[in-house]
């Protein structure tokens, strides 16, 4: 686990880095609060922080307060280091947003158990977040989390006047799979579909399970024609790669796909945009299935 050290004292930073590396952590260093905030704005931000109280510019408690005001839902466990002692200092640190408090000079054994406790809490929080945002069977985004990502994409495209595409995918006649082979075979089929989606999409495309056999895919910076090419690759792969349930059972699946490209003039909101893609999916199903229809 990465640990962010925020301290303007070089000797303290070196001592903390050496200790953390010895205990199996990866230290990342910031010399002041401003550098720390830059690091915390990246996609690979550490979630376990050791912050010194007294720093030039923004102090440790002020940095804690700034971090806690973030609105992105990120969880951070903050250990405050300080030469201050007494209950008043502890209260001030905790009220600013610190989770733990350690006075300097610190005992390395005490620091070790405090960091271990913090790392357990961070891992627990990450596990809970995973359970809350992922579909339990397929591990793609669940509907709640996908709706958040979808809303963010619409807001960003509106603000920046950019575009992106949405695919809505439905497995054809999936009820027959469950009725014929059983629900466990249906589960295998759903995971197979997600596997094919993942190998045919980019790292930053987003896949969500929207219903029993319905999936939704966000394609950033992708117009409708490009999205059709991606959808055709997926449709073909699913058609010609049967779901292997056992040595004796292989299930041939097909999918219907509806596509829409975000239009600033036509799509007044998220619901209107989704409805266009969903109507395209309905047309694909009504006109024979195993096909792709783009929204007009």
């Amino acid at each position: 686990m990465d640990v962010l050290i925020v301290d303007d004292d070089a000797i303290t930073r070196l001592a903390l880095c050496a200790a953390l590396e010895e205990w199996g952590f990866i230290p990342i260093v910031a010399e002041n609060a401003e550098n720390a905030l830059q690091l915390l704005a990246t996609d690979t931000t550490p979630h376990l922080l050791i912050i010194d109280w007294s720093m030039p510019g923004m102090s440790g408690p002020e940095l804690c307060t700034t971090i806690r005001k973030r609105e992105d839902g990120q969880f951070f466990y903050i250990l405050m280091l300080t030469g201050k002692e007494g209950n008043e200092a502890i209260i001030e640190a905790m009220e600013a947003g610190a989770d733990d408090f350690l006075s300097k000079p610190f005992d390395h054994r005490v620091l070790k158990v405090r960091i271990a406790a913090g790392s357990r809490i961070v891992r627990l929080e990450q596990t809970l977040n995973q359970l809350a945002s992922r579909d339990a069977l397929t591990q793609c985004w669940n509907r709640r989390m996908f709706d958040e990502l979808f809303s963010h994409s619409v807001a960003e495209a509106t603000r920046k006047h950019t575009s992106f595409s949405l695919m809505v995918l439905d497995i054809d006649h999936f009820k027959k799979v469950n009725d014929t082979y059983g629900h466990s075979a249906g589960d295998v089929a759903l995971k197979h579909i997600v596997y094919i989606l993942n190998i045919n999409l980019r790292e930053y495309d987003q896949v969500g399970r929207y219903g029993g056999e319905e999936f939704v895919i966000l394609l950033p910076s992708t117009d409708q024609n490009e999205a059709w090419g991606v959808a055709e690759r997926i449709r073909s792969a699913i058609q010609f790669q049967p779901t292997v349930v056992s040595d004796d059972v292989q299930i041939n699946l097909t999918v219907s796909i509806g596509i829409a490209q975000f239009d600033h003039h036509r799509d007044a909101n998220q619901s209107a945009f989704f409805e266009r893609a969903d109507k395209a999916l309905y047309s694909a199903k009504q006109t024979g299935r195993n096909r792709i229809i783009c929204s007009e």
Side-chain angles (χ1 to χ4, degrees):
M1 182 180 293
D2 294 344
V3 180
L4 177 61
I5 300 167
V6 189
D7 199 310
D8 64 312
D9 182 70
I11 295 176
T12 302
R13 292 198 304 269
L14 288 172
L16 288 171
C17 285
L20 289 169
E21 289 173 346
E22 180 182 345
W23 301 331
F25 296 93
I26 302 171
I28 298 173
V29 173
E31 297 181 1
N32 53 53
E34 289 73 17
N35 289 344
L37 291 173
Q38 291 173 357
L39 289 168
L40 293 176
T42 65
D43 292 335
T44 56
T45 177
H47 293 273
L48 182 54
L49 284 59
I50 303 174
I51 298 178
D52 183 44
W53 185 303
S54 299
M55 294 184 291
M58 186 183 293
S59 69
E62 290 171 335
L63 175 57
C64 282
T65 301
T66 301
I67 292 170
R68 296 307 185 198
K69 288 181 178 178
R70 290 168 61 122
E71 297 180 351
D72 57 4
Q74 293 266 26
F75 174 80
F76 298 97
Y77 188 91
I78 302 174
L79 171 62
M80 180 77 73
L81 290 181
T82 178
K84 298 176 180 289
E85 294 183 356
N87 290 336
E88 291 303 318
I90 295 174
I91 292 170
E92 184 177 348
M94 296 298 189
E95 286 181 343
D99 297 288
D100 203 352
F101 181 94
L102 191 59
S103 295
K104 295 180 181 179
F106 53 84
D107 185 315
H108 275 62
R109 297 171 300 170
V110 176
L111 177 63
K112 182 178 181 180
V113 296
R114 297 282 182 85
I115 290 296
S119 69
R120 288 195 297 271
I121 292 172
V122 169
R123 288 193 177 95
L124 177 60
E125 178 69 21
Q126 291 171 340
T127 300
L128 292 173
N129 185 61
Q130 178 86 355
L131 292 172
S133 60
R134 295 284 182 178
D135 175 63
L137 176 65
T138 63
Q139 292 303 301
C140 59
W141 298 120
N142 60 25
R143 182 166 181 164
R144 180 192 65 80
M145 187 62 191
F146 186 87
D147 279 340
E148 289 185 19
L149 294 169
F150 187 25
S151 177
H152 174 77
S153 296
V154 169
E156 183 177 42
T158 301
R159 185 174 66 255
K160 296 182 178 180
H161 296 283
T162 56
S163 192
F164 68 102
S165 291
L166 173 71
M167 290 197 311
V168 185
L169 178 152
D170 187 82
I171 305 174
D172 297 329
H173 305 298
F174 187 70
K175 184 177 183 301
K176 291 183 179 179
V177 174
N178 286 327
D179 292 344
T180 304
Y181 301 102
H183 287 277
S184 60
D187 289 347
V188 173
L190 289 168
K191 289 190 280 189
H192 177 68
I193 293 293
V194 172
Y195 167 75
I196 290 177
L197 289 174
N198 286 334
I199 64 175
N200 283 281
L201 294 170
R202 302 163 297 187
E203 288 185 2
Y204 49 86
D205 295 330
Q206 306 289 350
V207 180
R209 186 180 178 191
Y210 223 60
E213 66 272 15
E214 186 172 276
F215 295 88
V216 281
I217 301 101
L218 291 176
L219 301 168
S221 304
T222 305
D223 64 27
Q224 193 160 275
N225 290 333
E226 293 169 330
W228 190 94
V230 175
E232 174 56 25
R233 190 165 66 242
I234 290 169
R235 187 207 61 78
S236 178
I238 291 171
Q239 181 178 6
F240 296 108
Q241 294 181 33
T243 298
V244 178
V245 178
S246 65
D247 292 339
D248 301 323
V249 179
Q250 291 189 0
I251 306 172
N252 294 306
L253 299 171
T254 61
V255 295
S256 300
I257 302 174
I259 297 174
Q261 178 181 334
F262 183 69
D263 187 317
H264 303 274
H265 303 291
R266 297 175 60 188
D267 300 319
N269 51 46
Q270 178 178 333
S271 297
F273 179 35
F274 184 88
E275 185 177 349
R276 289 201 297 114
D278 200 41
K279 284 183 176 178
L281 170 64
Y282 181 78
S283 296
K285 293 165 69 174
Q286 291 294 108
T287 54
R289 302 179 190 268
N290 188 27
R291 64 190 61 209
I292 304 159
I293 298 291
C294 292
S295 174
E296 296 179 356

